[in-house]
Structure formats: structure tokens, C-alpha cells
Amino acid sequence: MTDLGTPTRGVATGTGDRSRPRAALPALCATQIVSWGIVYYAFPVLNPQITAATGWSAGATTAAFSLGLVVSALAGIRVGRILDRRGPRTVMTVGSVLGVVSLLIVAAAPNLPVFFAGWAFAGLAMAATFYQPAFAALTRWWAPDHVRALTIVTLAGGLASTVFAPLTAALADHLSWRHTDLVLAAILAAVTIPAHALALRAPWPDAPTSPAHKAADAADVARSRPFLLLAAAFTLSSFAMYAVVVALVPLLLERGYTTTQAAWALGIGGAGQTLGRTLYATLARRTTATARTTILIALGALTTAAFIAVPGPYGLLIAVSIVAGTVRGNLTLLQATAITDRWGTTHYGRLSGLLAAPAHTAALAPFAGAALAVPLGGYGPLLLLLAAVSVAAALFAPWTSTDAVRRRPERGHAVTDHT
């Protein structure tokens, strides 16, 4: 096994081994599980209890959650620039602190304005601790084998809902939603703050270069047709995926399932994400970036439609959730590698932030979903609409190829496009 010790700045060898801090990958695996599980997946489980206890409407509470995701999208652009220059340690440590503060504000919120403020802070935390900064760190430290590292961290991250959706439901059975949030805040603080502060201390290496990608100016890339169409495809796809995740619990409650059953159906999708991510490297070796973008987004539409077509029995719904999670898991890695597949790693942080921003503004989907469910006649018709949105996203995908030369994949690399 090669030495994964502390690197020196500016070193980017052919294998990238010397620019890999030993503790970063296991630490990021742990913090992605906890950060996603607590800041994101706990809300759909707690929201019915929040609305029942406070009298606030589901539309209002999901609007607050959506605000956090929009703030995350906007802040992510600036976060990406900082990551390119300085690395992930300060960004992710501060983000963990903000995540704890946000949960404390939400738990103590006496009214909706304070509840909204708490979720705005949560948005800053998401931008600084979720996949985008973790992907930027691993893409720089692990190049050219970054797909392997990204797969490992997303395999772990896929367990977030599996662990924390049922855990949140169990806590909520014995505690109020406010006390449940306080317990989750304590877990978030205990795991993520020291992990980010201590495991990400290595110097930040210069970005490696690849002969398959020209060092294009980031601004020119951001204005190019493939980038804009890729952003459109990911935005529409993300809109549908965000809405499905948040709508699944009320959909199952609407069909007569218990909160615990609904939480497990949501959580088991995380196991599907883990399964799906083990398959991504093989898919990347056998397809171009454009082909797998089209295929995976189209499969997202099919799995969304499957939730409508399968009202029960419960075991079959669990199977659908696992399959849907498998697709979501691949979509996560698809977005993580979209920049490097087409434009290399030089401006990864900045370009991924720009690409993620419109996709994350699709986080308005939870609010839009809650608002549309009533006039549409329930969550079943809503999911049908979301499936159509995913189909529209798939129609953009074939036009996202670039001038990168098609080549035989190296270890850890995907096939790139040739136009």
C-alpha cells in the first residue's frame, strides 16, 4: 500500500498518492453520513410533527426548508472559489459549526420568521459541508483516481437516510420535535466539527493537469452551450429528485401507512444509493459522459413514476424505493464527475459551484410540491408531474458533450465525449 501521509503543496504526481492526507477519506465518509442525515433527511420525517405541534402549514415549513437549499446554492458559488484556492478544512469546519447553530435556532424557534432564519443558517452549513466541498477535496487530493474516492464517500453518504430517517422517527416517538432537533444537533457537533478540523489539515496541492483537457478559462466554460445545457438538465432533474424525497413521506401517509413505515421507506432508499454507487465505475468505463447523463436522468423519471404505479403492498414499495435510491446514487456521482469528464480539474471548485447553483435552487421543489399537491389532488398526481419534469431534463442531456477527445479510460477515469 502506498504511503498516504502528509503532502507538500504543489505536488501532484502521476498517481496523486503524495497529495492524499491519510485521514481525509474516512473522515469525510463519516461527516457526509451525519451531515446529510441530520441537516437534510431528518426534516421530512419531523415535518408532520412540526406542523401538528405548531399549527404552521406544511407549505410554510417546507418553504423554510427550501430557503435553506436556495441559500446553499447561492453560497456554494463563493464556497467553490474558496475551495479552489485554500482547500476544505476551514470551510467545512466553519460549516459544521453553522450547522449546529442552525439546528439550535430551529429547535428554539417561537415563530415562523425565526424558523426561516434557522434554515437560512442551515443553507450556509449545507454549502460548506455537503457533497460539493467534499468532492472538491477528493478530486484535488485523489487525482487521477478521484472516481474511486468519490465512489467511496458517496457509498457512505448513501447511508445517511438509512441511518437517520429511522433514528429521527424513533427519537420523535419519545421526544418532541424540538428536543429531537437538540439531540441531533449534539450528534452533529460531536462528529463533524472535530473530524473536519483535525482530518483536513494537509496543505492544499496545486490542481493537476490532464492532456485530455485544455486549460480553458472558467468564465468561457460557464458561458458555453454544453455547460448551460448541462446546468438545465441537472436543474430539472434535481427539482424532481428533491421533491420526490420530501413528498414520499406524506404520499405514504396519504395512503394510510404509519410514520415509521414511511420513514423506513425513505431511509431504505439510502441502501439503494449505496448499491447504485458501487455500479457507477463500471457504467463510467462503458459509456460516454453524455450517454450516462441521458440514461440516468431518464431512469430517474421511470422510478418516480413507479411510486405512482405501485401503491402497495408495503414490501413492493420498499423494493421501488431501493431501485429509486440506486438511480439517485448514480446521479450523485454523475454530477460529481460532470466537470472533470468534460473540462478537467483545474477550476473544479468554481465550475462545480456554478453548476450546482441552479440545480440547488431547484430545492424550491419541496415548497412547490407542498403547494401543488392540493390543487393537483394529492401527492400521486404531483409525482406524475415530477416524472414529466425528469423526462424534460433527459431531453437536454444529449446536447451536453464537449470537445474532449474520446480515449481509453485510465484507472479511476470515465470515458469522455467526442463531438
Side-chain angles (χ1 to χ4, degrees), residues 181-195:
D181 257 354
L182 291 177
V183 172
L184 294 175
I187 297 172
L188 186 70
V191 175
T192 65
I193 295 174

Side-chain angles (χ1 to χ4, degrees), residues 97-174:
V97 174
L98 287 174
V100 174
V101 171
S102 72
L103 289 177
L104 296 178
I105 294 173
V106 167
N111 51 48
L112 275 173
V114 177
F115 190 77
F116 271 76
W119 279 107
F121 274 99
L124 296 175
M126 293 177 199
T129 60
F130 277 13
Y131 280 142
Q132 181 190 337
F135 289 164
L138 295 174
T139 297
R140 182 73 63 91
W141 273 324
W142 259 257
D145 297 330
H146 55 279
V147 172
R148 181 177 302 170
L150 295 174
T151 300
I152 291 171
V153 82
T154 54
L155 284 173
L159 297 175
S161 62
T162 305
V163 173
F164 280 95
L167 176 61
T168 301
L171 289 171
D173 283 341
H174 298 88

Side-chain angles (χ1 to χ4, degrees), residues 21-22 43 55 57 134 172 204 222 247 251 272 326 359 382 407:
R22 181 180 293 109
F43 173 79
S57 70
W204 191 231
L251 172 70
T326 300
L382 173 64
R407 69 192 190 280

